[in-house]
Amino acid sequence: MTSTRLTFELPPSLEATVPPEARGLARDAVRLLVAHRESGELVHTTFRHLPQFLDAGDLVVVNTSATIPAAIDARGTDGSDAVIHLSTCLTEGLWVVEPRRREGQGSARWSDGTVPRRFELGRRASVELMEPFLESNRLWVARLSLPTATLAWLAVHGRPIRYSYVEQAWPLSSYQNVYATEPGSAEMPSAGRPLSMRVITELVAKGVSVAPIVLHTGVASLEADEHPYPERVRVPPSTAAHINETHRAGGRVIAVGTTVVRAVETAAGHDGIVAPVDDWTDLIVTPERGVRAIDGIVTGWHEPAASHLDLLEAIARPDLLQRSYEASLAAGYLWHEFGDSHLVIP
C-alpha cells in the first residue's frame, strides 16, 4: 500500500480556539466520527458514547505521559524577544529545544542562520544552543542552566505551549489528560483529552480493559515534509502481555492517539507479538510498513498533508480516510487539541 496523503483546505472557522469546557461542553461531549473499516459505515455521535462501539474483551491503550509547561520567555544575546519551547529531555540539563521569535501575541520559527546561540531565561537561568538536532532546521540540542531541577523550575516559570489559533492562555490543567501520571510531554497527547473518568469507568464496566504506555511527545511536527523525531518510549511488561492476550482471545487493541501506535508498533515483532520496551524509538509508521499489533485508533483531526495521515492510512484504508475527512469537514468538526475526535475500528 502506498500513501495517497490527503490534501484538503482547513477553514479557519473549524479551528478549535478554546477548550470545550469554555464552549459549555464537558470534555467527553466533543463530537466523534466513527469509521468502520470493513463496512465503510460512518457514524456521527459524541465521545460520551465511545463504549457503545467497543466490545467486551477489547483493550484500549493510553499514553500516560503528562504535559509539562514547556514554553519559556527568553531574551537573546542580540536583544531579541523570544520564546523557547522545550521538546525532548536527553539528560538532566540537556534538551532538544525549538527557539522561536516573539511575533505579536504568538511566535514564529527562526531561520537557523540568524538565531542567537544563547538566551537568558531570567535570574540565574539560561539556555545555550549547541548544535542542530539531527537534520532539523528548527530544533537544537541545548544546555539548560537553571538554579533548580528542571520540572520544579518550569512549574514556576513555564507555561503550556500554544499556537496562534488558540487565542488566549489556558492553564496547564486544560492540556492534561485525566489519566496522565508521568510528566514529560512538550505538548499534550491530545487524542486522549475527551477520555473522561466517566467514559473509562463505563468501558471497564462493559469488559473493555485499559492499559498504559508512556511516550513523551516532542513539539508538534507542523511541516508537511517533517516526520516524527526520536522520542522516549516505555511499554511495560504488563501492557505487552495484555496486548498479546487480547489478540489470542480474539479481542481488538485500540490505540488512543498516534503516540500509542508508535509505542506499541515499536514493541511489536514481525509476527505481531509485543515485547516490553524501555528505550528510544525512531519508528515511522507508514502504509507501506503497516501496523502489526494495533487494530483501531482514537485520534483527532490532523492538518492537511501532515505526516500523521500516513500513520492513519496504515490503520484505515485510504478511501475510508478520505471519506472520513470529507464527512468531518462537511459536518463542521473542529480541529486541533481542543477539537473533535475520530474513531477507526475494524
Side-chain angles (χ1 to χ4, degrees):
M1 180 188 293
T2 59
S3 172
T4 59
R5 186 64 71 86
L6 292 175
T7 57
F8 54 92
E9 182 176 345
L10 178 61
S13 61
L14 297 187
E15 295 184 314
T17 60
V18 298
E21 295 88 336
R23 307 195 301 267
L25 300 174
R27 67 168 58 211
D28 60 13
V30 298
R31 301 173 72 185
L32 175 68
L33 177 63
V34 182
H36 295 264
R37 191 166 59 235
E38 292 182 6
S39 68
E41 181 185 13
L42 300 179
V43 178
H44 295 276
T45 183
T46 60
F47 203 94
R48 173 76 176 78
H49 300 298
L50 174 70
Q52 296 179 14
F53 299 92
L54 300 182
D55 301 326
D58 287 345
L59 174 65
V60 170
V61 184
V62 299
N63 181 5
T64 57
S65 177
T67 312
I68 63 174
I72 311 165
D73 290 326
R75 177 74 64 179
T77 51
D78 62 352
S80 55
D81 195 11
V83 178
I84 301 295
H85 287 176
L86 301 186
S87 180
T88 302
C89 181
L90 301 175
T91 61
E92 178 62 30
L94 197 66
W95 283 72
V96 177
V97 307
E98 181 185 16
R100 296 174 68 89
R101 293 180 293 103
R102 178 79 67 184
E103 193 171 90
Q105 295 299 312
S107 62
R109 290 182 180 172
W110 232 305
S111 62
D112 57 0
T114 61
V115 61
R117 295 301 189 267
R118 181 179 172 86
F119 294 86
E120 298 300 323
L121 306 179
R123 186 169 178 267
R124 295 190 298 132
S126 63
V127 59
E128 180 181 359
L129 306 186
M130 301 174 66
E131 60 184 8
F133 180 59
L134 300 179
E135 298 178 356
S136 176
N137 60 9
R138 66 184 178 101
L139 299 179
W140 292 77
V141 177
R143 187 171 301 283
L144 268 65
S145 297
L146 304 175
T148 60
T150 303
L151 292 182
W153 188 89
L154 288 175
V156 177
H157 301 281
R159 62 180 182 278
I161 290 174
R162 69 181 174 103
Y163 295 104
S164 58
Y165 54 82
V166 178
E167 298 171 345
Q168 67 185 80
W170 296 96
L172 186 61
S173 58
S174 294
Y175 293 87
Q176 295 290 14
N177 295 323
V178 298
Y179 48 77
T181 58
E182 184 174 327
S185 282
E187 299 184 22
M188 174 176 54
S190 57
R193 193 184 192 282
L195 196 57
S196 64
M197 292 308 301
R198 173 173 61 177
V199 171
I200 292 172
T201 300
E202 290 188 8
L203 287 170
V204 173
K206 188 174 182 177
V208 177
S209 298
V210 179
I213 61 90
V214 175
L215 186 144
H216 294 313
T217 68
V219 294
S221 181
L222 300 179
E223 298 289 348
D225 60 349
E226 283 189 301
H227 290 285
Y229 292 101
E231 294 168 313
R232 187 77 193 182
V233 63
R234 185 168 72 251
V235 177
S238 58
T239 295
H242 209 153
I243 291 170
N244 295 333
E245 178 54 35
T246 297
H247 281 146
R248 279 194 293 268
R252 304 172 297 180
V253 175
I254 309 299
V256 178
T258 58
T259 62
V260 172
V261 176
R262 193 182 202 196
V264 172
E265 290 298 317
T266 294
H270 290 282
D271 57 0
I273 301 299
V274 175
V277 167
D278 188 355
D279 204 348
W280 290 85
T281 180
D282 59 2
L283 176 67
I284 298 172
V285 178
T286 64
E288 292 81 5
R289 180 203 182 268
V291 289
R292 300 165 181 169
I294 293 296
D295 303 300
I297 185 171
V298 174
T299 185
W301 299 98
H302 298 283
E303 293 278 1
S307 61
H308 287 306
L309 295 174
D310 286 343
L311 181 149
L312 292 179
E313 280 194 17
I315 299 172
R317 299 189 315 269
D319 62 313
L320 180 63
L321 198 61
Q322 180 75 47
R323 291 177 53 236
S324 291
Y325 271 72
E326 289 174 352
S328 66
L329 289 166
Y333 278 62
L334 297 181
W335 253 248
H336 304 311
E337 66 267 32
F338 296 143
D340 295 316
S341 295
H342 186 197
L343 169 65
V344 179
I345 51 177

